[in-house]
Amino acid sequence: MKSAFVFPGQGSQSVGMLSAAAETWPMISETFDEASNVLGYDLWHLCQHGPAEELNKTMITQPALLTASVALWRQWCVSDGPRPDFVAGHSLGEYSALVAAESLDFIEAVRLVQLRGELMQDAVPEGQGRMAAILGLDDADVIAACQEAAEGDVVSAVNFNAPGQVVIAGSAAAVERAIELCKTRGARKAMPLPVSVPSHCALMKGAAEQLAEALEDIRFNDAVIPVVQNVNAEPATDAGVLKANLLKQLYSPVLWTDSVQKLSSDGVGVAVECGAGKVLAGLIKRIDRSLPVYGIENPDSLSEAIKAFGQS
């Protein structure tokens, strides 16, 4: 039986995250100190004390979650946790996965996700973009509703998170139209999300072009652990492939349901969510109930996860 680590993206952050872990593991504060030196502000203090409005800003959320995931990954490694057979990350979490797979240096990743957040925030003026969660509707119906709602604007399905749980994004007016069309098609819920950045849609192509310039100067290595990437739900280790798909990810849908199904079909029977919160564990439970997902936010849960990996 094979194993996987999965790394969460935006939405998993909260003020006070990893506070208990930091009391026991010096690795947590050491990793946050590294990131703070790059960012020029005290990232750990902001994560612990907020305010939440500041932590939830895209250009801050991204390095905060990356650092939290890498800190826990490092703790797993120094605790003699076995190397997983695969890694995968949801949206921003793919950067954490690449660091774990030794394809991307942590410090370079911190710089990249800070820039990524800034470019995403600047790509669409505040109030002009929107995202919404559509619950209880088939993927095909959500896609059809977006096509009908577009009317020359941008709106598309961008996060296929689990069966019956899809996120759409685009221009504010088109998203509003798509919400109403999803409701008429029988969606259980169709509700705007409290974010202003319409991630993973065509409105992010300009940001991707600017990010491409930064990526030219970043060294990517072949991954030592296959990375199941968002854009195609396929594992890759080649540095060039990983880099190209990471760039496409900014304006392409996150195929999370397909990614989890790929892990299962490739023999993964146990997984660890490496980061703050339990968002991915909840999604995976909806995708494949037979795949247990462990957390590692404290010594007890880490020991339990290592034991489960040892039995895999």
Side-chain angles (χ1 to χ4, degrees), residues 63-107:
L65 287 173
L66 168 78
T67 303
S69 287
V70 171
L72 290 173
W73 167 256
R74 288 176 169 179
Q75 186 60 45
W76 172 270
C77 293
V78 300
S79 303
D80 296 323
R83 176 183 285 182
D85 296 289
F86 298 95
V87 292
H90 188 286
S91 187
L92 165 72
E94 192 163 286
Y95 287 78
S96 305
L98 289 167
V99 173
E102 299 179 23
S103 178
L104 183 59
D105 176 75
F106 172 57
I107 296 302

Side-chain angles (χ1 to χ4, degrees), residues 122-229:
D122 293 342
V124 180
E126 189 167 353
Q128 293 188 19
R130 183 161 292 180
M131 299 184 77
I134 311 299
L135 306 181
L137 205 59
D138 289 343
D139 293 354
D141 284 326
V142 177
I143 293 169
C146 288
Q147 291 172 341
E148 185 179 343
E151 298 180 9
D153 291 333
V154 171
V155 60
S156 58
V158 296
N159 289 358
F160 295 93
N161 287 333
Q165 184 172 334
V166 179
V167 174
I168 64 174
S171 63
V175 170
E176 285 298 327
R177 292 194 294 269
I179 287 173
E180 294 308 312
L181 286 169
C182 286
K183 288 178 180 177
T184 63
R185 288 173 178 265
R188 181 165 50 85
K189 281 188 179 180
M191 52 193 179
L193 296 175
V195 295
S196 60
V197 177
S199 304
H200 301 293
C201 72
L203 296 177
M204 289 294 113
K205 283 194 173 180
E209 290 172 2
Q210 293 175 273
L211 188 64
E213 296 177 14
L215 282 172
E216 287 180 6
D217 300 325
I218 303 297
R219 175 182 173 84
F220 279 69
N221 302 308
D222 289 345
V224 300
I225 308 169
V227 183
V228 177
Q229 294 195 275

Side-chain angles (χ1 to χ4, degrees), residues 185-304:
R185 288 173 178 265
R188 181 165 50 85
K189 281 188 179 180
M191 52 193 179
L193 296 175
V195 295
S196 60
V197 177
S199 304
H200 301 293
C201 72
L203 296 177
M204 289 294 113
K205 283 194 173 180
E209 290 172 2
Q210 293 175 273
L211 188 64
E213 296 177 14
L215 282 172
E216 287 180 6
D217 300 325
I218 303 297
R219 175 182 173 84
F220 279 69
N221 302 308
D222 289 345
V224 300
I225 308 169
V227 183
V228 177
Q229 294 195 275
N230 288 177
V231 298
N232 58 7
E234 291 292 334
T237 57
D238 178 80
V241 171
L242 293 168
K243 188 174 184 178
N245 285 340
L246 189 67
L247 188 60
K248 290 178 187 175
Q249 184 222 59
L250 199 58
Y251 57 86
S252 302
V254 173
L255 305 182
W256 188 249
T257 298
D258 290 349
S259 296
V260 173
Q261 290 173 342
K262 177 63 177 175
L263 291 172
S264 295
S265 67
D266 280 359
V268 170
V270 60
V272 160
E273 180 168 5
C274 187
K278 300 178 180 178
V279 170
L280 296 185
L283 294 179
I284 291 172
K285 188 175 182 180
R286 295 190 60 180
I287 298 167
D288 185 350
R289 284 187 170 274
S290 69
L291 179 58
V293 184
Y294 294 83
I296 54 170
E297 290 191 65
N298 56 58
D300 288 343
S301 60
L302 183 139
S303 297
E304 185 180 9

